[in-house]
Amino acid sequence: LRKVLERDIHHAPAYRMLASFYSRTGDVERASRVLTALDLLGFAEDTDRSTMQRLRPMRTAMPIRQPLGDEPRQRLLITPAVREPLGEIFEALAEEITGMVSSPSLGVDLQPVQSVGDARLTKIAAEISALYQLDVDLFVGDKVPGLAAVTAYPRRLLVLDRSLLTEPDLALRFLFGYAFEAIRGGYALLLHLGARQRRELVTLLRALVAPDGELTGPATELVDRASGRAAKVLERHAGLRDVDADAWISGMLACAKRGGLVACDDFSAAIWMVARLSGERLANHDASVALGAVLGGPDLVRFYLSDAYQQLRDSLSA
């Protein structure tokens, strides 16, 4: 059944059969996940929602007790984009490439999180910082473009718009996980690319894999300044053809969404916060129903229902 959903996440009967299987085997948590996804994709019927309500009191919370180590992150969390040639090249030159892209605007009237006096926000930030094993400078400000500004270089930084302080715990946990995964992976700049910046980055990435003698503009400068390790990575992938840099960027953004989902363990909260960060003006949390695939992307749906997600949650709550 999961193979069916790998091919088509809109195949509603497969969700019902999979939820029924998990219920019969006593796996209430995974049955609930399947029905939640069905609901947020807009396919749930009254009987599905009734089953969700019946299962809810039977669920057991799985608090995070362990940090996310490099091995489980590599094996269970990240998308294939990280291991693709462009992923290896970007990782080797992340700081240099970040320096070539204009930094996101941070908003105005910034305050360190500690001085805001929001104990709930401070607690959530500390928990997700421990999960991702990061020390990030946290601020709250006004008029923050996109509601959150995230940087990995030259400084690990997260600025939240003050309007987010009223968001529920789970939505904030998603946001911190989303940002911290991108910071840890060094690809935070991808979270803020405008259309022009994205085109320029796509052009740069394609140029970096061009054969020797075909490098132009900023790519030439990057190659000339590359460290020995980065130079070896570039040499290994030189001459690649038909590189889909747009798809690679989308794959990396999917990593950040996965990171947020792991931090909150709530698909509805994840979709709600993705909607907010995308500029969607939803009236309430119920308005995110039927937007699961649009806002989260097929990857997030599949990840939420996967064995890898279950293994990751098990390892973090052990």
Side-chain angles (χ1 to χ4, degrees), residues 43-62:
F43 302 137
E45 299 176 352
D46 288 343
T47 54
D48 302 315
R49 297 189 184 94
S50 296
T51 303
M52 287 174 61
Q53 293 295 329
R54 178 175 58 81
L55 293 177
R56 186 164 292 147
M58 302 166 60
R59 297 181 64 185
T60 302
M62 299 173 63

Side-chain angles (χ1 to χ4, degrees), residues 281-296:
R281 295 184 177 274
L282 304 181
N284 51 54
H285 281 258
D286 291 336
S288 61
V289 171
L291 292 177
V294 176
L295 296 173

